[in-house]
Amino acid sequence: LHEMLAQVEMERDAGDRFFAVQCAESAVRCSPDFGEAWLTLGRAQLNLGEPAMALDSLARAAAACPDDAKPAIAADRALAQARLASSPGPREP
């Protein structure tokens, strides 16, 4: 239930990103072996702008669902976002 609520919250136009993370965290606490919940948590953390946290969650998703490519695809997105956030921006003249 928590995992589905997190997904719904992420899909809403005016969704609360922090609430989506909270719901997904509840899902992984209730079912720590549920790979889909870890995937949802990683996506929610990524949407919140937390790529490092997302990578940890996506690694757990990949471990729980080794035959599923979705965690790897989301992890690539998280890595790209982390690199973008850590690269220096344009400098003012």
Side-chain angles (χ1 to χ4, degrees):
L1 178 64
H2 296 284
E3 189 269 339
M4 289 188 299
L5 183 57
Q7 285 200 30
V8 167
E9 199 62 35
M10 286 190 298
E11 293 299 321
R12 289 183 44 225
D13 287 337
D16 183 340
R17 293 177 178 170
F18 185 69
F19 183 63
V21 169
Q22 289 176 315
C23 291
E25 286 174 338
S26 293
V28 297
R29 274 194 304 275
C30 291
S31 300
D33 296 329
F34 184 34
E36 219 31 65
W38 284 106
L39 177 61
T40 299
L41 178 58
R43 288 177 172 165
Q45 290 166 328
L46 192 56
N47 289 343
L48 192 62
E50 296 290 345
M53 293 172 70
L55 284 170
D56 289 340
S57 298
L58 294 168
R60 298 281 301 262
C65 302
D67 296 330
D68 191 348
K70 290 181 286 191
I73 293 167
D76 285 344
R77 183 174 164 224
L79 283 171
Q81 186 174 332
R83 285 187 194 115
L84 198 70
S86 66
S87 68
R91 297 182 185 227
E92 304 253 342

